[in-house]
């Protein structure tokens, strides 16, 4: 047990005070964990596009001041009452969704959508008492998807924390807590392409590249990357993408372009951009009779998916997935173990690394399209 267990900890955090304005490093107070909660010392975190999305607050409900961040690795500092699967000193990954272990979803082998701990992007407080564990000069600061890892210390519900092998490098496996598992799992756990099949991946950011990596490992022979930024194709080759389509280069819908390229459509499509048009195109570009499209990206709150019912009646399948259908506490430790055995290539997703004091540089790199994943070193 740490010397600060049960006490308030003062530490630095990057606070988003307003939408789209640079984060400000502030000294804040972090309350001790309550029943069913864990306080983590964050060693490494990285910037995910979802952080930028909610920081800009253009397509979702604005909630400020807020501590963003949700893709991270750290060490358990203290635990609240009733927490038994974690203890101080454990290496762990916080996850934006959770696993209570008791609800019908957690008991089902077909779902990872925990009734209690599924993500709620509009909730800025802890589930237990409806209060924030962060404050500055008495002013509460909102949480972000239950993680808030842009802080040297954070408090997370214990059901959203996965204990992992302490030998695993946290500056690498932190990516497994969101982006990699979301895209990779969407392909291998949900789309399930067969060896020799064709797969279209819409959106070649980190999640899309992880989806492509899943297609590569599954043995797909044609992996078609679809993105509005043509310069992304060269990098995508490292992840198995061997053909590229930019919708802006064509005078017809991209789903028609892909259908012509593949003699009727691809076997599988995985959408990772959050664009409602990309979601529709992904579904309409799969082959009739057996094609499966999987939606991954986070849409704007007012988006509506529209397609003709005949696209279903001709035996195309549309699926959604959440965190790649991985259960955080049950499945994440084994994914880390696969990385440790060399079965998963995670390091190639990391393009930059900056100290915590330069966190706004990570935002600049992502906004310019220069970064897949930028690791933020919290303890420099």
């Amino acid at each position: 047990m740490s010397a600060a267990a049960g006490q308030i900890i003062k530490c630095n955090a990057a606070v988003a005070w307003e939408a789209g304005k640079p984060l400000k490093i502030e000294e804040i107070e972090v309350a001790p964990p309550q029943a069913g909660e864990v306080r983590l010392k964050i060693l490494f975190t990285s910037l995910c596009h979802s952080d930028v999305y909610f920081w800009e607050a253009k397509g979702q409900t604005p909630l400020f001041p807020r501590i963003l961040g949700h893709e991270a690795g750290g060490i358990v500092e203290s635990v609240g009452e009733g927490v038994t699967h974690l203890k101080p000193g454990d290496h762990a990954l916080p996850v934006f969704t959770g696993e209570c272990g008791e609800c019908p979803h957690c008991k089902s082998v077909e779902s990872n959508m925990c009734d209690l701990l599924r993500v709620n992007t509009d909730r800025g407080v802890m589930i237990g008492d409806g209060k924030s564990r962060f404050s500055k000069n008495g002013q509460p600061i909102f949480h972000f998807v239950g993680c808030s890892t842009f802080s040297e210390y954070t408090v997370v519900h214990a059901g959203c924390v996965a204990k992992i092998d302490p030998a695993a490098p946290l500056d690498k496996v932190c990516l497994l807590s969101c982006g990699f598992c979301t895209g990779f799992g969407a392909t291998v756990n949900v789309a399930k392409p067969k060896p020799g099949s064709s797969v279209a991946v819409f959106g070649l950011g980190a999640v899309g590249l992880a989806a492509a990596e899943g297609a590569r490992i599954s043995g797909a022979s044609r992996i078609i990357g679809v993105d509005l930024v043509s310069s992304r194709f060269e990098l995508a080759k490292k992840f198995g993408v061997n053909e590229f389509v930019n919708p802006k280069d064509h005078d017809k819908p991209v789903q028609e372009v892909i259908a012509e390229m593949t003699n009727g459509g691809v076997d599988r499509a995985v959408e990772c951009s959050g664009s409602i048009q990309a979601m529709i195109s992904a579904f309409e570009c799969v082959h009739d009779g057996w094609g499966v499209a999987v939606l991954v990206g986070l849409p704007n709150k007012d988006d509506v998916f529209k397609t003709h019912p005949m696209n279903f009646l001709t035996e195309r399948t549309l699926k959604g997935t959440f965190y790649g259908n991985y259960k955080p506490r049950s499945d994440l430790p084994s994914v880390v173990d696969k990385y440790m055995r060399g079965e998963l290539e995670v390091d190639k997703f990391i393009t930059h690394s900056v100290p915590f004091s330069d966190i706004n540089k990570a935002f600049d790199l992502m906004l310019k399209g220069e970064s897949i994943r930028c690791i933020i070193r919290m303890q420099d």
Side-chain angles (χ1 to χ4, degrees):
M1 192 71 72
S2 78
Q7 301 177 15
I8 291 173
I9 285 179
K10 290 186 177 182
C11 71
N12 288 328
V15 181
W17 290 100
E18 298 179 61
K21 297 295 178 66
L23 306 188
K24 187 175 180 182
I25 304 294
E26 305 273 16
E27 183 180 74
I28 66 162
E29 294 184 336
V30 183
Q34 301 302 303
E37 299 173 0
V38 178
R39 188 160 60 187
L40 296 172
K41 180 179 183 179
I42 300 298
L43 299 183
F44 298 95
T45 187
S46 66
L47 182 63
C48 173
H49 186 264
S50 296
D51 297 307
V52 176
Y53 190 47
F54 284 90
W55 166 70
E56 291 179 322
K58 293 179 180 178
Q60 300 292 336
T61 304
L63 192 62
F64 299 97
R66 201 173 203 180
I67 298 173
L68 298 166
H70 63 283
E71 194 174 79
I75 298 174
V76 175
E77 179 270 334
S78 59
V79 302
E81 180 183 351
V83 177
T84 58
H85 76 284
L86 295 161
K87 65 182 185 304
D90 284 343
H91 286 219
L93 303 181
V95 184
F96 62 91
T97 185
E99 184 181 352
C100 73
E102 300 297 329
C103 72
H105 285 274
C106 286
K107 291 180 178 179
S108 169
V109 297
E110 298 181 11
S111 173
N112 67 341
M113 296 289 292
C114 176
D115 283 333
L116 177 66
L117 299 172
R118 68 178 62 183
V119 68
N120 181 339
T121 57
D122 291 337
R123 184 177 61 232
V125 294
M126 298 301 292
I127 290 175
D129 60 4
K131 296 180 180 179
S132 174
R133 301 289 176 261
F134 303 118
S135 64
K136 178 174 175 60
N137 299 327
Q139 178 186 359
I141 301 173
F142 291 117
H143 294 248
F144 177 63
V145 294
C147 293
S148 293
T149 59
F150 294 167
S151 175
E152 292 173 332
Y153 286 86
T154 188
V155 177
V156 183
H157 192 287
C160 299
V161 180
K163 178 182 175 180
I164 64 167
D165 181 353
L170 290 172
D171 61 331
K172 305 295 194 303
V173 299
C174 65
L175 300 188
L176 302 178
S177 67
C178 177
F180 182 89
C181 284
T182 296
F184 188 83
T187 301
V188 301
N189 294 338
V190 186
K192 298 179 180 178
K194 298 176 181 178
S197 62
S198 57
V199 179
V201 177
F202 287 72
L204 296 177
V207 175
L209 293 176
E213 182 78 354
R216 183 186 70 80
I217 288 179
S218 298
S221 61
R222 296 184 72 177
I223 304 176
I224 303 169
V226 184
D227 202 290
L228 297 173
V229 182
S230 297
S231 60
R232 289 183 168 180
F233 180 46
E234 193 61 35
L235 178 61
K237 291 179 180 178
K238 297 180 180 179
F239 301 85
V241 178
N242 47 33
E243 297 177 65
F244 184 81
V245 176
N246 187 332
K248 295 190 296 185
D249 294 341
H250 302 273
D251 57 5
K252 63 178 68 175
V254 70
Q255 54 266 45
E256 295 181 16
V257 174
I258 293 173
E260 291 175 1
M261 290 170 58
T262 56
N263 192 29
V266 289
D267 301 308
R268 301 290 186 266
V270 185
E271 183 283 320
C272 303
S273 71
S275 160
I276 191 65
Q277 186 54 56
M279 294 179 182
I280 296 167
S281 297
F283 176 54
E284 294 183 354
C285 83
V286 298
H287 205 290
D288 58 7
W290 61 80
V292 178
V294 179
L295 305 186
V296 181
L298 185 67
N300 285 347
K301 61 181 180 179
D302 297 324
D303 281 341
V304 177
F305 186 97
K306 294 182 180 180
T307 191
H308 197 281
M310 279 303 300
N311 289 320
F312 292 98
L313 298 177
T314 50
E315 300 181 4
R316 294 176 177 87
T317 299
L318 178 65
K319 293 185 174 184
T321 182
F322 188 71
Y323 192 51
N325 276 42
Y326 287 111
K327 292 180 184 284
R329 284 171 53 187
S330 298
D331 296 335
L332 195 47
S334 63
V335 178
V336 172
D337 291 343
K338 286 183 179 180
Y339 167 78
M340 295 296 284
R341 293 194 298 267
E343 297 173 22
L344 299 176
E345 297 181 27
V346 175
D347 301 33
K348 63 185 180 182
F349 287 83
I350 300 170
T351 53
H352 299 80
S353 176
V354 299
F356 186 34
S357 58
D358 285 343
I359 189 170
N360 287 301
K361 181 179 179 180
F363 278 73
D364 291 339
L365 289 167
M366 180 163 283
L367 289 169
K368 293 176 181 177
E370 297 177 7
S371 168
I372 301 176
R373 275 297 186 265
C374 180
I375 299 297
I376 299 161
R377 307 186 299 274
M378 301 297 291
Q379 303 300 319
D380 271 17

